[in-house]
Amino acid sequence: MSMEERMRPLLQQELADSRKSRAALASDIDSTSDLRRDSNVDDEHDPEGSTIAFELSQSGTLLRDTDARISELEAALTRLDEGRYGRCEACGAEIAEGRLEARPWTRFCITHAGSR
C-alpha cells in the first residue's frame, strides 16, 4: 500500500472529526451569544459578564483554529488528488514519511516547517 493510500483515510477521518468539532463550537458560540443577548448583562460591571466575554473569545479562537485545520486538510486531499502530496511546497523535496504520519496535512518538509 502506498503512502498516499495510507494517508487518504487518515486525512478524511481528521477532516470529518474537525468538521464535527467546528459544528459543536459554532453551536456553543450561538448558545452563549443567545444567553448573553437574552440577559441584561453588563460585561464591564457584572462579574459573570466578563466570564461570558472570555468564553466567547476563547471559543472564537478555537473556531478560527478549527477552520484553519479544515482548510489545511482539504488542501492536503486536493494535493493527493493532483499527485502533489508529500512534496514540500518550499523546496519540492519529498517530505519524510514520519512527518506525514505525525501531520498528514503538512505542506512543508521539516527544514522549511519552522520558517513558515
Side-chain angles (χ1 to χ4, degrees):
M1 180 181 287
S2 72
M3 176 186 52
E4 289 83 0
E5 291 170 328
R6 288 193 332 271
M7 292 298 138
R8 184 176 300 278
L10 292 173
L11 288 164
Q12 290 170 330
Q13 184 61 53
E14 185 71 29
L15 181 58
D17 292 347
S18 293
R19 286 179 174 158
K20 273 188 203 174
S21 293
R22 192 206 187 285
L25 280 167
S27 177
D28 287 348
I29 289 170
D30 289 344
S31 295
T32 304
S33 293
D34 289 344
L35 285 172
R36 186 179 189 192
R37 193 174 318 118
D38 293 341
S39 70
N40 192 11
V41 174
D42 178 0
D43 284 358
E44 190 174 329
H45 299 101
D46 183 349
E48 282 299 308
S50 61
T51 302
I52 292 170
F54 178 74
E55 286 178 25
L56 284 171
S57 176
Q58 273 191 315
S59 295
T61 298
L62 289 171
L63 188 65
R64 284 187 296 280
D65 290 349
T66 302
D67 284 342
R69 164 82 49 100
I70 288 169
S71 292
E72 288 291 332
L73 290 162
E74 290 172 341
L77 286 165
T78 298
R79 289 191 304 277
L80 263 172
D81 293 340
E82 295 173 351
R84 298 181 296 116
Y85 182 80
R87 293 251 168 234
C88 177
E89 289 186 3
C91 67
E94 194 171 306
I95 300 171
E97 212 168 307
R99 178 158 170 73
L100 289 171
E101 287 172 0
R103 294 180 54 98
W105 57 86
T106 191
R107 298 178 294 133
F108 301 104
C109 66
I110 196 72
T111 302
H112 292 103
S115 64
R116 299 288 161 190

